[in-house]
Amino acid sequence: KKPDEIIQYFVPYLIYYQYNRYEDAKWCAIKALELAQKQKNEEMKINILNCIGLVLFQEGKFAEALSKHKEALFLSKEINNIYETSKSLLNIGQIYKSQGAYPKALKHIQLAITIIRDLDDDELFSNTLYKIGQLYYEMENYEKAFDFLKQSLNYTIKNGDLNGRAHCLNDIAMIYCETKKYNEAIDYYDKALKIYQKLSDLSEVATQFNNLAIVYHKKGHLNKALKYIKRSIEILEILGVQAGIETHYNNIGTFYASEKNYTESLKWHKKAIFVE
């Protein structure tokens, strides 16, 4: 069956968004919104408003993004669409979190989870627990962050959500790192690494190698730290992620500086400057 006109724009939006082509994604979403308004399809209109808000957020246009999500929230409450209401609340919470307005962020995400508990959607519930864990982590409340991330992790194991599971493992490792429990951090980063390798997500594999390098450096194992960060650089070179390579070179420079090997440190910091 041929999809209707809205879907013909909405599906390309999803593809462009996943590939970080935000200008193209926004154009498709605006076209889909025009059609939804013309057809008086309120549910699709709300969905698309949230999608436009997500693009604007990625573009750093926080005020505009907030406006779209608030409009979506208002409309979803009007037609009693609790699923879209919860999504809008989550999106608003994420914007406040990015601006460091943690109490506002927590208020909206907690409102969302009270709705999501009754939706019979384990994936959305797990993702919301994860977002609360992330928020508490940024607030440096590591005990609560750990609790929510562990809850989310249990749901991802139950549902077979490998990607979500890897994200939880990574963030729990970050908490262990912050609390100087380096062996536990290494264990969790390693578990996340194995999942990302299974998923063939090279970008995340590179991130895990870098994370392991940082932990090993904190433990005073320079050789292991260098081994992992160089493996990360190899992947970033394949992917053509120049900004990441520059950051890694600077990290290596920092590793050497902490060992008082300033000649080698200077070499790597200079190398970072000339990454093309």
Side-chain angles (χ1 to χ4, degrees), residues 200-207 232-242 245:
S200 300
D201 189 335
L202 288 181
S203 177
E204 287 293 348
V205 168
T207 298
S232 183
I233 290 168
E234 286 170 9
I235 295 171
L236 293 178
E237 285 174 342
I238 292 167
L239 297 174
V241 184
Q242 300 304 316
I245 293 169

Side-chain angles (χ1 to χ4, degrees), residues 42-256:
E42 286 300 298
E43 292 200 354
M44 203 64 195
K45 179 182 174 182
I46 294 163
N47 190 352
I48 296 164
L49 282 168
N50 271 319
C51 291
I52 293 171
L54 291 174
V55 175
L56 291 166
F57 175 76
Q58 293 295 341
E59 292 179 331
K61 299 172 181 175
F62 300 131
E64 291 177 53
L66 196 59
S67 173
K68 295 296 179 189
H69 292 314
K70 283 185 173 180
E71 185 180 352
L73 178 63
F74 175 79
L75 294 172
S76 63
K77 284 181 175 178
E78 271 202 331
I79 64 170
N80 198 30
N81 186 325
I82 58 174
Y83 184 77
E84 290 296 338
T85 297
S86 65
K87 276 174 55 182
S88 300
L89 286 167
L90 283 175
N91 291 332
I92 291 167
Q94 288 298 100
I95 292 173
Y96 283 131
K97 172 175 166 276
S98 72
Q99 295 176 319
Y102 298 133
K104 282 186 177 180
L106 193 58
K107 174 188 169 187
H108 283 83
I109 298 174
Q110 285 177 331
L111 277 172
I113 205 164
T114 58
I115 297 168
I116 293 164
R117 284 183 199 278
D118 301 324
L119 284 179
D120 193 28
D121 187 333
D122 280 355
E123 186 178 346
L124 182 59
F125 186 63
S126 171
N127 188 41
T128 307
L129 289 169
Y130 175 74
K131 288 183 190 303
I132 295 173
Q134 281 189 314
L135 181 55
Y136 275 121
Y137 175 83
E138 289 203 13
M139 293 167 70
E140 297 182 4
N141 188 333
Y142 299 128
E143 187 177 343
K144 282 195 173 182
F146 184 86
D147 179 49
F148 279 98
L149 290 170
K150 269 287 190 179
Q151 289 182 62
S152 181
L153 178 63
N154 291 336
Y155 272 97
T156 63
I157 293 169
K158 174 186 166 186
N159 300 330
D161 176 9
L162 285 178
N163 195 51
R165 184 177 174 185
H167 285 328
C168 289
L169 290 166
N170 176 80
D171 285 25
I172 291 170
M174 287 165 56
I175 292 171
Y176 280 130
C177 197
E178 288 291 340
T179 53
K180 298 184 174 14
K181 295 178 180 176
Y182 299 131
N183 290 334
E184 290 89 341
I186 288 167
D187 181 43
Y188 274 77
Y189 278 138
D190 195 50
K191 286 176 181 175
L193 171 64
K194 285 180 170 64
I195 294 173
Y196 286 128
Q197 286 173 326
K198 186 175 182 179
L199 294 171
S200 300
D201 189 335
L202 288 181
S203 177
E204 287 293 348
V205 168
T207 298
Q208 296 312 309
F209 280 140
N210 182 55
N211 289 339
L212 284 163
I214 290 168
V215 180
Y216 275 117
H217 174 248
K218 286 179 182 291
K219 283 192 73 178
H221 297 167
L222 179 62
N223 288 337
K224 279 192 176 180
L226 291 172
K227 174 185 135 185
Y228 279 110
I229 202 165
K230 285 175 181 177
R231 288 178 75 179
S232 183
I233 290 168
E234 286 170 9
I235 295 171
L236 293 178
E237 285 174 342
I238 292 167
L239 297 174
V241 184
Q242 300 304 316
I245 293 169
E246 178 187 337
T247 300
H248 283 14
Y249 285 168
N250 276 318
N251 283 345
I252 294 172
T254 303
F255 291 172
Y256 279 117

